[in-house]
Amino acid sequence: MNVKILNPDAVSKLFTNWGETSAICYDTHTDDPTPIGKGCMANGHFSGSRGDFIKFLVTDIPRFTVDQAVRHEVGVFKNVQSFRYVGKDHFAYEVPVEITDNPELLAKYDKHMQDVTNLYEDIQSYVLSKGKTQERANEQARYVLPISTHTAFVIGFSVEALIHFMHKRLCSRAEDIIRQLAVEMKKEVIKILPNLESRLVPECQYLLFCPENKKSCGAYPKREEIKLLVEQYKKNENK
């Protein structure tokens, strides 16, 4: 997996742009709008940031992880590599981590992938032999590609959307590969905008309680536990 920010110069100006856009709210006149942008983030006022995007190029990533990432909609745009226009001869693929300690099963998996590669190429060749285009050959051959096939995509987030993405995908309950994606994206962002580091965290770390309805990792108490503590505190205060 490789992650790269496509517009680092624009990203470095995020708080300045945010401040310039937001200054109109109070008719603020300043030669340095950056503190305004930072103040807006601190207060949760994101309207002035929604015109700026952090754009990521992600390569060597399994298609099933792309499918998870593009579920994020609000404040997000994306373009995914096409298996129709881009041939996948000798495609790279992801290996299930839980079978890497089983040489026999791993060998079966790799053989299956080689069989898929051979079939993919056979379909391509047959379609081309009928006088069809390479595009049509790729289109017909892609039927056999597994969801673990490595691909590439570009995804852009407003800062508000990126925070939401990190809240969900840095959670310990997120699948390991999309959590890895979130970690790599965060690393690249804070190289440019270290002020965002405290915001790009699992949701529990931001809320100080676990919002998951199912199994919790235990790093933070559940909301119900916090509620009980608050109620007990109020009772003690009223005594």
Side-chain angles (χ1 to χ4, degrees):
M1 180 188 302
N2 298 297
V3 176
K4 176 184 177 181
I5 291 180
L6 291 177
N7 59 334
D9 291 340
V11 172
S12 69
K13 298 173 184 175
L14 171 68
F15 289 112
T16 302
N17 294 344
W18 193 343
E20 287 178 345
T21 305
S22 302
I24 193 65
C25 294
Y26 296 98
D27 196 22
T28 304
H29 299 279
T30 177
D31 293 329
D32 182 12
T34 303
I36 298 175
K38 291 180 179 179
C40 286
M41 185 179 75
N43 291 310
H45 298 161
F46 286 95
S47 58
S49 69
R50 291 173 186 153
D52 293 273
F53 283 82
I54 303 172
K55 303 176 184 180
F56 299 90
L57 169 64
V58 185
T59 56
D60 294 324
I61 186 168
R63 182 57 187 253
F64 61 77
T65 304
V66 176
D67 290 346
Q68 290 176 311
V70 299
R71 290 173 59 195
H72 293 261
E73 290 289 345
V74 180
V76 183
F77 74 83
K78 51 265 186 176
N79 278 285
V80 180
Q81 185 181 83
S82 170
F83 287 171
R84 180 185 187 189
Y85 300 114
V86 179
K88 285 294 173 180
D89 312 70
H90 306 292
F91 62 89
Y93 54 85
E94 200 73 18
V95 176
V97 67
E98 294 294 350
I99 72 168
T100 55
D101 61 348
N102 186 324
E104 182 180 355
L105 192 56
L106 185 58
K108 287 182 179 179
Y109 183 81
D110 287 334
K111 181 181 182 302
H112 169 73
M113 290 302 185
Q114 186 57 56
D115 290 341
V116 171
T117 299
N118 295 339
L119 178 56
Y120 179 91
E121 293 175 350
D122 287 346
I123 293 172
Q124 276 186 320
S125 296
Y126 178 68
V127 175
L128 289 171
S129 74
K130 297 169 69 175
K132 304 295 184 178
T133 64
Q134 185 67 55
E135 178 185 318
R136 182 63 171 171
N138 292 343
E139 180 186 90
Q140 295 295 287
R142 69 178 176 172
Y143 281 58
V144 303
L145 289 175
I147 199 168
S148 61
T149 302
H150 278 198
T151 186
F153 76 121
V154 169
I155 188 165
F157 296 89
S158 68
V159 65
E160 186 178 15
L162 183 64
I163 290 170
H164 176 264
F165 179 86
M166 294 297 173
H167 281 179
K168 301 303 180 184
R169 302 305 184 177
L170 288 174
C171 174
S172 64
R173 293 194 68 245
E175 189 176 5
D176 52 357
I177 301 179
I178 198 165
R179 189 163 67 248
Q180 179 189 349
L181 172 62
V183 168
E184 295 303 317
M185 293 167 87
K186 177 179 177 177
K187 285 179 183 177
E188 294 305 306
V189 171
I190 63 176
K191 287 177 185 177
I192 303 171
L193 294 172
N195 301 73
L196 289 180
E197 185 169 10
S198 63
R199 295 278 177 154
L200 305 183
V201 294
E203 194 165 23
C204 61
Q205 190 173 330
Y206 180 73
L207 296 174
L208 299 182
F209 67 84
C210 174
E212 291 289 328
N213 290 325
K214 297 181 180 180
K215 187 176 180 181
S216 169
C217 72
Y220 286 84
K222 300 288 287 183
R223 184 175 184 276
E224 293 75 15
E225 296 175 75
I226 294 294
K227 184 178 179 181
L228 288 173
L229 287 173
V230 170
E231 290 174 351
Q232 185 61 50
Y233 174 79
K234 287 180 177 179
K235 287 180 181 179
N236 292 337
E237 284 288 293
N238 293 328
K239 284 183 179 179

